Amino acid sequence: MQNEGVTQKILSALEQAALNHHIDIVDVEIVGSSKNPLVRVRIDHDDETEETISLDEVAQETSWISETIDELDPFPASFTLEVSSPGMARPLRRAKDFVRFAGQEVQLQTTATEGRRKFTGTLLGIEGTTISIQTEDEVCTIDLSELKKCVIKPAFDFLTSAKK
């Protein structure tokens, strides 16, 4: 994909700048047309013990994120910036994410691994560069280099919510 290089360039610049702002750059995604792309940046607190970042905090962090991307000037024309929290379907991409969210239900896509590309199950963790996931039938191991996408599977408990 042509945007992978640009995505990595933006991600690297934002991760470096985020150190001064105590923010974790969870993910960067570029979608839409090449003439006017949409750049999605998902952020959270860099302290894993805090609550998920609030909408007000996201609004406060948006200006330096925009400035950092503007300094890179990665697009020939304009782009649209969308900054948000990671949401319920939080993307996982780094080794520390797979450690932090072990025990969570995840959905992941890989490059073809023994004929199978999509997995859903409980994240068991990571050892070295190998992710382990307990599916309904078996324990599957996937190398980070084969991972295309991994997100926490949102859990909706409508019965508990209705009782409140």
Side-chain angles (χ1 to χ4, degrees):
M1 180 178 192
Q2 70 185 37
N3 284 336
E4 284 183 28
V6 175
T7 301
Q8 189 56 49
K9 192 175 182 181
I10 291 171
L11 183 60
S12 296
L14 289 176
E15 285 180 331
Q16 186 64 37
L19 297 173
N20 297 329
H21 298 275
H22 307 289
I23 292 295
D24 179 28
I25 303 299
V26 175
D27 190 35
V28 172
E29 180 181 28
I30 301 173
V31 296
S33 72
S34 58
K35 291 183 181 178
N36 187 14
L38 170 64
V39 179
R40 290 185 179 132
V41 179
R42 293 176 189 91
I43 63 173
D44 205 352
H45 297 119
D46 65 354
D47 181 355
E48 296 173 2
T49 61
E50 291 189 36
E51 293 292 317
T52 301
I53 196 164
S54 71
L55 184 58
D56 289 338
E57 291 170 310
V58 168
Q60 291 171 350
E61 304 299 334
T62 299
S63 62
W64 70 262
I65 291 170
S66 179
E67 291 168 8
T68 302
I69 296 172
D70 284 342
E71 286 175 17
L72 284 176
D73 197 21
F75 305 107
S78 65
F79 67 94
T80 302
L81 177 62
E82 178 184 290
V83 180
S84 68
S85 72
M88 290 180 69
R90 181 190 186 105
L92 308 179
R93 64 178 178 85
R94 302 162 294 192
K96 74 178 193 173
D97 297 334
F98 295 101
V99 171
R100 178 178 176 192
F101 294 103
Q104 296 283 324
E105 289 292 308
V106 295
Q107 296 174 317
L108 57 87
Q109 294 178 354
T110 67
T111 54
T113 304
E114 298 176 14
R116 188 170 175 188
R117 294 182 33 185
K118 294 183 180 184
F119 299 84
T120 299
T122 303
L123 176 64
L124 299 176
I126 187 168
E127 191 171 314
T129 62
T130 304
I131 303 163
S132 297
I133 179 174
Q134 174 68 58
T135 66
E136 201 172 279
D137 327 323
E138 63 185 327
V139 172
C140 301
T141 56
I142 297 126
D143 193 80
L144 275 177
S145 65
E146 297 175 347
L147 187 66
K148 289 176 78 175
K149 181 178 181 178
C150 182
V151 296
I152 293 177
K153 183 178 176 188
F156 302 102
D157 187 355
F158 296 110
L159 293 177
T160 303
S161 298
K163 291 178 184 177
K164 289 184 179 180

